[in-house]
């Protein structure tokens, strides 16, 4: 999580529009070995985690698609993470 709140990005590399994971990925699948950058395991593109801008690889300067994020929590339910695309194509509720 970023210091000023959580960030979420669509799992699509701007290089070719494919998912960033490979089928055999283990560990923290979206971060590089240092844990400081978001990594596309298919194309080795690296993205900074605050804005999703590609800083190395085949799509330098392009960005991941940001999702709006809302953390919902009250005394009677566990914390939940609500994600939806900025374009408004619907949401997905995930427990945190």
């Amino acid at each position: 999580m970023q210091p000023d709140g959580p960030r979420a990005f669509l799992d699509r590399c701007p290089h070719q529009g494919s998912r960033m994971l490979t089928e055999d990925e283990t560990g923290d699948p979206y971060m590089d070995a240092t844990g400081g950058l978001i990594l596309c395991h298919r194309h080795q593109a690296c993205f900074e985690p605050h804005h999703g801008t590609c800083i190395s690889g085949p799509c330098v300067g392009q960005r991941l698609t940001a999702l709006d994020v809302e953390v919902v929590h009250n005394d009677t339910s566990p914390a939940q993470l609500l994600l939806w695309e900025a374009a408004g194509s619907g949401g997905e509720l995930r427990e945190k």
Side-chain angles (χ1 to χ4, degrees):
M1 180 171 357
Q2 295 296 309
D4 57 345
R7 298 277 187 271
F9 300 99
L10 190 62
D11 180 15
R12 293 282 179 252
C13 181
H15 176 230
Q16 293 182 336
S18 61
R19 291 197 63 201
M20 296 192 299
L21 297 181
T22 59
E23 290 75 26
D24 58 346
E25 203 51 52
T26 60
D28 188 345
Y30 293 102
M31 301 306 285
D32 70 347
T34 69
L37 297 171
I38 299 169
L39 174 66
C40 174
H41 292 275
R42 295 184 186 277
H43 310 114
Q44 303 307 305
C46 289
F47 303 86
E48 62 82 25
H50 191 75
H51 296 289
T53 303
C54 182
I55 59 171
S56 70
C59 51
V60 171
Q62 294 182 18
R63 288 186 176 194
L64 297 171
T65 301
L67 301 174
D68 290 334
V69 177
E70 180 180 354
V71 177
V72 179
H73 179 71
N74 62 42
D75 293 336
T76 61
S77 69
Q80 297 180 332
L81 182 63
L82 182 63
L83 304 174
W84 64 94
E85 288 186 56
S89 66
E92 181 176 342
L93 189 64
R94 296 186 184 174
E95 290 188 19
K96 182 177 178 185

